[in-house]
Amino acid sequence: MELNRRNFIKFLVGGAAGIQLTPLPWKLTDDIAIWTQNWPWVPVPPVGEFIHEKSICTLCPGGCGIEVRKVDDRAVKIEGRTDYPVNPGGICPVGMGGLQLQYNESIRFTRPMKRVGPRGSGVFIDISWDEALTMLAGRISGLREKAMPEALAAVDGNPARSTLSLMIERLVKAVGSPNYVRIPCAEDTYEMANFLMQGTLGPMAYDLENADYVLSFGSGLLEGWGAPGRVINAWGLWHENPAKKRVKIVQVESRASSTASKADRWIAAKPGTEAALALGLCHVIIKDGLYDSEFVNECSFGFDDFSSAGGKDRAGFKTMVLKKYSPAKVAEITGVASDDIVSLARDFAGAKAPVAICGKGKGSLSGSLYEFMAVNSLNAITGRINKPGGILVHEPIPLSSLPEIDFDDIASQGLEKPRFDAAGSTKYPFSNSLINNLAAAINRSPESPVDTLLVFAANPVHTLPDGGAFRKALKKIPFIVSFSPFRDETAYMADLILPDHTYLEKTDDIVWPAGLQYPLFGLSLPVLEPVYNTRNAADVILKLAKQIGNSVESAFPWKRFEEVLKERAKGLYSSGAGLVDYDGTNPVWKRLKEGTGPGPDYASFEEMWKKIVSGGLWYRLEHTYKNWDNLFETPSGKFEFFSSKIELAVNAYAEQAGIDWALRDMGLAGKGDDVFMPHYEETASDADRSTFPLMMLPFEIINLTSTWVPNPPFLNKALFDTQLRGDESFVEINPETAAKYNVGQGDRIIIKSPEGEVRVRANLFEGAMPGVLFMPLGFGHSAYDEFSKGKGVNPNDIIHAGKDPLSGYPVWWNTPVKIIKV
Amino acid sequence: MENPATSPKKSSKGGWISFLKGLLPTENGSAFVPPFSLIGWIFLLAGFFGAFTFGWVVYPVALYSRQPQPISFNHALHLDPDVGGIEGDTETEKCLYCHEFRDDGTFSGIPKLAKCTECHDDPESPLGETQQEKEFMEKYVAGQKEIPWLIYYRQPDCVYFSHIAHVKMGKIECQTCHGDHSKTEKLPIYRANLLTGYSINIWGKNIAGYKTNTWDRMKMDDCAECHTKKGHEENNACFVCHK
């Protein structure tokens, strides 16, 4: 029995034959086939009970209604709600991809931490909530003991008017600091323009769905402007019946964006000259007598020439516009043919329900005050103020205000000190906060005046169009606390991380979705149990206040954030109007036209609150249209083409060193009475145009976030390879301009501005205005996960931001650049 | 010249027969040494039967895991009218007492802890006297921890299966597909295919593919067989189940 080679082969042959007569090979083949269809690394949805939870999306100020599909405790899908009046069923790609911000530990913070590595390195160690809160409370109490509470500052990017924002402002104030600073956005400019011309404090409310002619000054209607779910739905309504299409959309923009490409007419005005175009349209309308004489004569101030108190003759809006904004002149400024200006003006004035809107891109960046006023004037002379399909003028939503704070001595003294950003001072009389000034103030002084900075829902290091000024300022601030749920660039600079819940885990509210034409209070409720050891920033504030004690503690008598929300909602109830039920069958915008609504659909406050908690909303249908005699709260009681408030403010400032100095110092290039009215000013720039002959303009796209919210990785798949290829992002250049610099498609170039340079690839695009380089916002992160980090470049890094005249907001649309071929 | 590839093959005279003859050991001591000696045959057959036994006996055992359920559960006890008291007019109703349809019509399958705690609500006072219940109370009810049940009949992710369509519309009893569990006192050992991860109850308990009971196997052909038998051949279309 020798086991030699031959016998071994025989053994194998026998084995091979024998195995064929067993199930092994056949079963194995089948199993392998099954195995290849069940790779263990392919994610499979969990098995369990399907649960649909309703809430609202708070990733942007749009506040669309969302429905989250869960399998047991795991969220698996986010969809738009059909029973929410803002967005009948639709949401934007970011909202859909929101789940990827929920479970991704390389995007999210999972627990409180403190910094141990150098600033910006992102090296932290875990600490407990108690330790973290003691640390922060100790720091703030320390500032109060040293009688310098104003050294506490907060940067807040939560949607305007939200209760959380109110709590943050209240905390800073109660401590004794006036330095509560908001991230600027288009809504701030709307509010300022409304305040100056209409005297009201309600937000801008465009009745888009009922308009039949929409003239958009750069608003990215298809790029996520306003509440994206609502605006894209409105776009659908305008195009519902192509055979009988009655709505015309005109887009004024220097780049063929999606909105411009799909609009009925695209007017490419040079960036920053939109105000001139709007006034040019006013010129034609006035000259042709197409304006609404009832509104203009009876209800407006400063349209015609008038004599002021001292008997001085003043030139009115009409005179100024007729004199300075003829189509020929405006054509010269804007680059739009004068025939186009004339025909556009006639079309606009000839439409039944036209509306002119402004706020560029998504509206996440601030605008130009005079431009917004000029667009508003266009609406006013055509009588579109407070009429269906136009601009509706409202009071702020009737939420209760929080009780007065009983300031202690330290707080009172601190609050008397001037703000570091000079907002609200005689120089910037109409701004509530100016983050660009704060950064400049810190960079200017040898030691940062801010000792402790709290950052909420904001990533100014990446999103501010300031050429990196804020990042530089952060390096000088001794102690930074980030409340961000996400591992963003600003949080990396922080000393203490107190992570907030994500929007799916927390209670929050959206008070009046951006641009919506009727008042709506949306309540976002947790649809998921917190996945990590995070806490609602509002609850952290309540706890922090208790630890600081004194007037700070007494300013926050609540145990939980929900109590604050409920207390505010009492105002909604006592307003005596409003609805909390909405079933989606009869859209609010349709019912709104009647101006009346059924009485409240609740009998008691408790019933109303219960319904708000389950349905997520309160809204009001009643609206008195026109009502021009009682509407305006300006000094003249009328709509002001000539703003008395600007006149007062400028004159007050001029008391220091004369009017010429005052105008210059306020950044105004206009002269005489022009500065009190909407007018066009060439954007001031200190850059040498011969060194930097081109212009760079950032733009926003719908499948890339450009705010503090990280980009869901899924959205990378929706980018074209002329936007991002590998790690390189593209700049859009007109082929004509590219040819001048011998740049071909895909060539690598360096874009250089006075602030710095970035390396990108060129995408030759006929839709880009010659002489202007267009760079998408949202790339160039140095934080987050592998899908965002190091992908492309951030145009904000090289933006050479000037200041918008009067408002003081950053001017991000006027960066002089040059290109160097690599 | 004739192409050898196309020319008809001529068999050499007695070629096959003499080849086979040659395989047999010869006694006449001729000079011809056959390729297969007796020892050769032993090796060949050892290989053959070794593989045969491996394929039929060892492999089916080795292919599957053997996992006991995290805790024991006695169906018979719960359905005993004197003890568990789970009631229902029909057998199906009794099953549905715990294995219920949710409001949206989906089937809950193995109940969650919440179902158990409808009766076993107080961890301090067990309803019976068994050691298993005590263990269950301490480990799961007190800590509000879900029981990680191993599920015998879960279809893979590519299959859409609706229980309610079969039970309510098709009027099929639970036992028809799952066997009568109401009298079992112990849960069977869970066995999963180590390669695919599928439960043995899905691919089939018998490695040769024979089945005696409906619940022995739940592959696609078994679905189709029943559909055909019940006159619902239209339900054998791909997209009925593979959506």
Coordinates of all heavy atoms in Angstrom, one line a residue, chain A residues 196-197 279 314-317 320 324-325 369-371 373 429-430 640-651 654 659-660 662-681 805-807:
Chain A
L196 N -36.9 101.1 5.4 CA -36.7 102.5 4.9 C -37.8 103.0 4.0 O -38.2 104.2 4.1 CB -35.3 102.6 4.2 CG -34.1 102.3 5.0 CD1 -32.9 102.3 4.2 CD2 -34.0 103.4 6.1
M197 N -38.3 102.1 3.2 CA -39.3 102.6 2.2 C -40.8 102.4 2.7 O -41.6 103.2 2.4 CB -39.2 101.9 0.9 CG -37.8 102.1 0.3 SD -37.5 101.3 -1.3 CE -37.9 102.7 -2.3
L279 N -33.7 101.2 -12.3 CA -34.1 102.6 -12.4 C -34.3 103.0 -13.8 O -35.1 103.9 -14.1 CB -33.0 103.5 -11.7 CG -32.9 103.3 -10.2 CD1 -31.6 103.9 -9.6 CD2 -34.1 103.8 -9.5
R314 N -36.7 120.4 -3.2 CA -36.0 119.1 -3.2 C -36.4 118.4 -4.5 O -37.6 118.4 -4.9 CB -36.4 118.2 -2.0 CG -36.3 118.9 -0.7 CD -34.9 119.3 -0.3 NE -34.0 118.2 -0.1 CZ -33.8 117.7 1.2 NH1 -34.4 118.2 2.2 NH2 -32.9 116.7 1.3
A315 N -35.4 117.7 -5.1 CA -35.7 117.0 -6.3 C -36.3 115.6 -5.9 O -35.7 115.0 -5.0 CB -34.5 116.8 -7.1
G316 N -37.4 115.2 -6.5 CA -38.0 113.9 -6.2 C -37.4 112.8 -7.0 O -36.6 113.0 -7.9
F317 N -38.0 111.6 -6.8 CA -37.6 110.4 -7.5 C -37.7 110.5 -9.0 O -36.9 110.2 -9.8 CB -38.4 109.2 -6.9 CG -38.1 107.9 -7.5 CD1 -36.9 107.2 -7.2 CD2 -39.0 107.2 -8.4 CE1 -36.6 106.0 -7.7 CE2 -38.7 106.0 -8.9 CZ -37.5 105.3 -8.6
M320 N -35.1 112.7 -10.6 CA -33.8 112.1 -10.6 C -33.8 111.0 -11.7 O -32.8 110.9 -12.4 CB -33.5 111.5 -9.2 CG -32.2 110.7 -9.2 SD -32.1 109.6 -7.7 CE -33.2 108.4 -8.1
K324 N -31.3 111.1 -14.8 CA -30.1 110.3 -14.8 C -30.2 108.9 -15.3 O -29.1 108.2 -15.4 CB -29.6 110.3 -13.3 CG -29.3 111.7 -12.8 CD -28.6 111.6 -11.4 CE -28.2 113.0 -11.0 NZ -27.9 113.1 -9.6
Y325 N -31.3 108.4 -15.5 CA -31.4 107.0 -15.9 C -32.1 106.8 -17.2 O -33.0 105.9 -17.3 CB -32.0 106.2 -14.8 CG -31.2 106.2 -13.5 CD1 -31.5 107.1 -12.5 CD2 -30.1 105.4 -13.4 CE1 -30.7 107.2 -11.4 CE2 -29.3 105.5 -12.3 CZ -29.6 106.4 -11.3 OH -28.8 106.5 -10.2
L369 N -28.1 97.5 -0.7 CA -29.3 98.2 -0.2 C -30.0 99.0 -1.3 O -31.2 98.9 -1.5 CB -29.0 99.0 1.0 CG -30.1 99.9 1.6 CD1 -31.2 99.0 2.1 CD2 -29.6 100.8 2.7
Y370 N -29.2 99.8 -2.0 CA -29.8 100.7 -3.0 C -30.4 99.9 -4.1 O -31.4 100.3 -4.8 CB -28.8 101.7 -3.5 CG -28.6 102.8 -2.5 CD1 -27.4 103.1 -1.9 CD2 -29.7 103.6 -2.1 CE1 -27.2 104.1 -1.0 CE2 -29.5 104.7 -1.2 CZ -28.3 104.9 -0.7 OH -28.1 105.9 0.2
E371 N -29.8 98.7 -4.4 CA -30.4 97.9 -5.5 C -31.7 97.4 -5.1 O -32.7 97.4 -5.8 CB -29.4 96.7 -5.8 CG -29.9 95.8 -6.8 CD -29.2 94.4 -6.8 OE1 -28.0 94.4 -6.6 OE2 -29.8 93.4 -6.9
M373 N -33.7 98.7 -2.9 CA -34.6 99.8 -2.9 C -35.1 100.2 -4.3 O -36.2 100.5 -4.6 CB -34.0 101.0 -2.2 CG -33.9 100.9 -0.7 SD -32.9 102.2 0.0 CE -34.0 103.6 -0.1
P429 N -26.3 103.2 10.5 CA -27.5 103.4 11.4 C -28.6 102.3 11.2 O -29.4 102.1 12.1 CB -28.0 104.8 11.0 CG -27.5 105.0 9.6 CD -26.2 104.3 9.5
F430 N -28.5 101.6 10.1 CA -29.7 100.7 9.8 C -29.3 99.2 9.9 O -30.1 98.4 9.8 CB -30.2 101.0 8.4 CG -30.6 102.4 8.2 CD1 -29.9 103.2 7.3 CD2 -31.6 103.0 9.0 CE1 -30.3 104.5 7.1 CE2 -32.0 104.3 8.8 CZ -31.3 105.1 7.9
E640 N -42.1 105.6 0.9 CA -41.1 106.6 0.6 C -40.1 106.3 -0.5 O -39.2 105.5 -0.3 CB -40.4 106.9 2.0 CG -41.3 107.5 3.0 CD -40.5 108.2 4.2 OE1 -39.3 108.0 4.3 OE2 -41.2 108.9 4.9
F641 N -40.3 107.0 -1.6 CA -39.2 106.9 -2.6 C -38.0 107.7 -2.1 O -36.9 107.4 -2.4 CB -39.7 107.5 -3.9 CG -40.7 106.7 -4.6 CD1 -42.0 107.0 -4.6 CD2 -40.3 105.6 -5.3 CE1 -42.9 106.2 -5.3 CE2 -41.2 104.8 -6.0 CZ -42.5 105.1 -6.0
F642 N -38.3 108.7 -1.3 CA -37.3 109.6 -0.7 C -37.3 109.3 0.8 O -38.3 109.6 1.5 CB -37.7 111.1 -0.9 CG -36.7 112.1 -0.5 CD1 -35.9 112.7 -1.4 CD2 -36.6 112.4 0.9 CE1 -34.9 113.6 -1.0 CE2 -35.7 113.3 1.3 CZ -34.8 113.9 0.4
S643 N -36.3 108.6 1.2 CA -36.4 108.1 2.6 C -36.0 109.1 3.6 O -34.9 109.6 3.7 CB -35.4 106.9 2.7 OG -35.3 106.5 4.0
S644 N -37.0 109.4 4.4 CA -36.8 110.4 5.5 C -35.8 109.9 6.5 O -35.0 110.6 7.1 CB -38.1 110.7 6.3 OG -39.2 110.8 5.4
K645 N -35.8 108.6 6.7 CA -34.9 108.0 7.7 C -33.5 108.1 7.2 O -32.6 108.3 8.1 CB -35.3 106.5 7.9 CG -36.5 106.4 8.8 CD -36.9 105.0 9.1 CE -38.2 104.9 9.9 NZ -39.0 103.8 9.5
I646 N -33.2 107.9 5.9 CA -31.8 108.0 5.5 C -31.4 109.5 5.6 O -30.3 109.8 6.1 CB -31.7 107.6 4.0 CG1 -32.0 106.1 3.8 CG2 -30.2 107.8 3.5 CD1 -31.9 105.6 2.4
E647 N -32.3 110.4 5.3 CA -32.0 111.8 5.4 C -31.6 112.2 6.9 O -30.6 112.8 7.1 CB -33.1 112.7 4.9 CG -32.7 114.1 4.8 CD -33.9 115.0 4.4 OE1 -35.1 114.6 4.6 OE2 -33.6 116.1 4.0
L648 N -32.4 111.7 7.8 CA -32.2 112.0 9.2 C -30.8 111.4 9.6 O -30.1 112.1 10.3 CB -33.3 111.3 10.1 CG -34.6 112.1 10.2 CD1 -35.6 111.2 10.9 CD2 -34.3 113.4 11.0
A649 N -30.6 110.1 9.2 CA -29.4 109.5 9.6 C -28.1 110.1 9.1 O -27.2 110.3 9.8 CB -29.4 108.0 9.2
V650 N -28.2 110.5 7.8 CA -27.0 111.1 7.2 C -26.8 112.5 7.8 O -25.7 112.8 8.1 CB -27.2 111.2 5.6 CG1 -26.1 112.1 5.0 CG2 -27.2 109.8 5.0
N651 N -27.9 113.2 8.0 CA -27.7 114.5 8.6 C -27.1 114.4 10.0 O -26.3 115.3 10.5 CB -29.0 115.3 8.6 CG -29.4 115.8 7.2 OD1 -28.5 115.8 6.3 ND2 -30.6 116.1 6.9
A654 N -23.6 113.8 9.7 CA -22.9 115.0 9.2 C -22.6 116.0 10.3 O -21.7 116.9 10.1 CB -23.7 115.6 8.1
I659 N -21.4 117.4 5.7 CA -22.1 116.4 4.9 C -21.1 115.6 3.9 O -21.3 114.4 3.7 CB -23.2 117.1 4.1 CG1 -24.1 116.0 3.4 CG2 -22.8 118.1 3.1 CD1 -25.1 115.4 4.2
D660 N -20.2 116.3 3.3 CA -19.3 115.7 2.4 C -18.5 114.6 3.1 O -18.4 113.5 2.6 CB -18.3 116.7 1.7 CG -19.1 117.6 0.8 OD1 -20.2 117.2 0.3 OD2 -18.6 118.7 0.5
A662 N -19.3 113.1 5.8 CA -20.3 112.0 6.2 C -20.6 111.1 5.1 O -20.5 109.9 5.3 CB -21.6 112.7 6.7
L663 N -20.9 111.6 3.9 CA -21.2 110.7 2.8 C -20.0 109.8 2.5 O -20.1 108.6 2.2 CB -21.6 111.6 1.6 CG -22.9 112.3 1.7 CD1 -23.2 113.1 0.5 CD2 -24.1 111.4 2.0
R664 N -18.8 110.5 2.4 CA -17.6 109.7 2.1 C -17.4 108.6 3.1 O -17.1 107.5 2.8 CB -16.4 110.7 2.0 CG -15.4 110.2 1.1 CD -14.3 111.3 0.8 NE -13.9 112.0 2.0 CZ -14.0 113.3 2.2 NH1 -14.6 114.0 1.3 NH2 -13.6 113.9 3.3
D665 N -17.5 109.0 4.4 CA -17.2 108.0 5.4 C -18.3 106.9 5.5 O -18.0 105.8 5.9 CB -17.2 108.7 6.8 CG -16.3 108.0 7.8 OD1 -15.2 107.5 7.4 OD2 -16.8 107.8 8.9
M666 N -19.5 107.2 5.1 CA -20.5 106.1 5.0 C -20.4 105.3 3.8 O -21.2 104.4 3.5 CB -21.9 106.8 5.1 CG -22.2 107.3 6.5 SD -23.8 108.2 6.4 CE -24.7 107.3 7.6
G667 N -19.4 105.6 3.0 CA -19.2 104.8 1.8 C -20.1 105.2 0.6 O -20.3 104.4 -0.4
L668 N -20.7 106.4 0.7 CA -21.6 106.8 -0.4 C -20.8 107.7 -1.4 O -20.1 108.6 -1.1 CB -22.7 107.7 0.2 CG -23.7 106.8 1.0 CD1 -24.4 107.7 2.1 CD2 -24.7 106.2 0.1
A669 N -21.1 107.3 -2.7 CA -20.5 108.0 -3.8 C -21.5 109.0 -4.3 O -21.1 110.0 -5.0 CB -20.0 107.1 -4.9
G670 N -22.8 108.8 -4.1 CA -23.8 109.7 -4.6 C -23.7 111.0 -3.9 O -23.1 111.3 -2.9
K671 N -24.4 112.0 -4.6 CA -24.3 113.4 -4.1 C -25.8 113.9 -4.0 O -26.7 113.4 -4.6 CB -23.6 114.2 -5.2 CG -22.1 114.0 -5.3 CD -21.4 114.7 -4.2 CE -19.9 114.3 -4.1 NZ -19.6 113.0 -3.5
G672 N -25.9 114.9 -3.1 CA -27.1 115.6 -3.0 C -28.3 114.7 -2.5 O -28.1 113.8 -1.8
D673 N -29.5 115.0 -3.0 CA -30.7 114.2 -2.6 C -30.7 112.8 -3.1 O -31.4 112.0 -2.6 CB -31.9 115.0 -3.1 CG -32.2 116.2 -2.2 OD1 -31.5 116.3 -1.1 OD2 -33.0 117.0 -2.6
D674 N -29.8 112.5 -4.1 CA -29.8 111.1 -4.6 C -29.6 110.1 -3.5 O -30.2 109.0 -3.6 CB -28.6 111.0 -5.6 CG -28.9 111.6 -6.9 OD1 -29.9 112.3 -7.0 OD2 -28.1 111.3 -7.9
V675 N -28.8 110.4 -2.5 CA -28.4 109.4 -1.5 C -29.6 109.0 -0.6 O -29.6 108.0 0.0 CB -27.3 109.8 -0.6 CG1 -26.0 109.9 -1.4 CG2 -27.6 111.1 0.1
F676 N -30.7 109.8 -0.6 CA -31.9 109.5 0.1 C -32.8 108.7 -0.7 O -33.9 108.3 -0.2 CB -32.5 110.8 0.6 CG -31.6 111.8 1.3 CD1 -31.6 113.1 0.9 CD2 -30.7 111.3 2.2 CE1 -30.7 114.0 1.5 CE2 -29.7 112.2 2.8 CZ -29.7 113.5 2.4
M677 N -32.5 108.5 -1.9 CA -33.4 107.7 -2.8 C -32.6 106.5 -3.4 O -31.4 106.6 -3.4 CB -33.9 108.6 -3.9 CG -34.8 109.7 -3.4 SD -35.4 110.7 -4.8 CE -34.1 111.8 -5.1
P678 N -33.4 105.6 -3.9 CA -32.7 104.5 -4.6 C -31.9 105.0 -5.8 O -32.5 105.7 -6.6 CB -33.8 103.5 -5.0 CG -35.0 104.2 -4.8 CD -34.8 105.3 -3.8
H679 N -30.6 104.8 -5.8 CA -29.8 105.2 -6.9 C -28.7 104.2 -7.2 O -28.5 103.3 -6.4 CB -29.3 106.6 -6.6 CG -28.3 106.6 -5.5 ND1 -28.6 106.5 -4.2 CD2 -26.9 106.7 -5.5 CE1 -27.6 106.5 -3.5 NE2 -26.5 106.6 -4.2
Y680 N -28.1 104.4 -8.3 CA -27.0 103.5 -8.7 C -25.6 104.2 -8.3 O -25.4 105.3 -8.6 CB -27.0 103.2 -10.2 CG -25.7 102.5 -10.7 CD1 -25.4 101.2 -10.3 CD2 -24.8 103.2 -11.4 CE1 -24.2 100.6 -10.7 CE2 -23.6 102.7 -11.9 CZ -23.4 101.4 -11.5 OH -22.2 100.8 -11.9
E681 N -24.8 103.4 -7.7 CA -23.4 103.9 -7.4 C -22.5 102.8 -8.0 O -22.7 101.6 -7.7 CB -23.2 104.0 -5.9 CG -23.9 105.2 -5.4 CD -23.4 105.4 -3.9 OE1 -22.5 104.8 -3.4 OE2 -24.1 106.3 -3.3
P805 N -22.6 100.6 0.3 CA -22.9 102.0 0.8 C -24.1 101.9 1.8 O -25.0 101.2 1.5 CB -23.2 102.8 -0.4 CG -22.7 102.0 -1.6 CD -22.6 100.6 -1.2
L806 N -23.9 102.6 2.8 CA -25.0 102.8 3.8 C -25.2 101.6 4.7 O -25.2 101.6 5.9 CB -26.3 103.3 3.2 CG -27.2 104.0 4.1 CD1 -26.6 105.3 4.6 CD2 -28.5 104.4 3.4
S807 N -25.4 100.4 4.1 CA -25.7 99.2 4.9 C -24.5 98.6 5.5 O -24.5 98.1 6.6 CB -26.4 98.1 4.1 OG -25.5 97.4 3.3

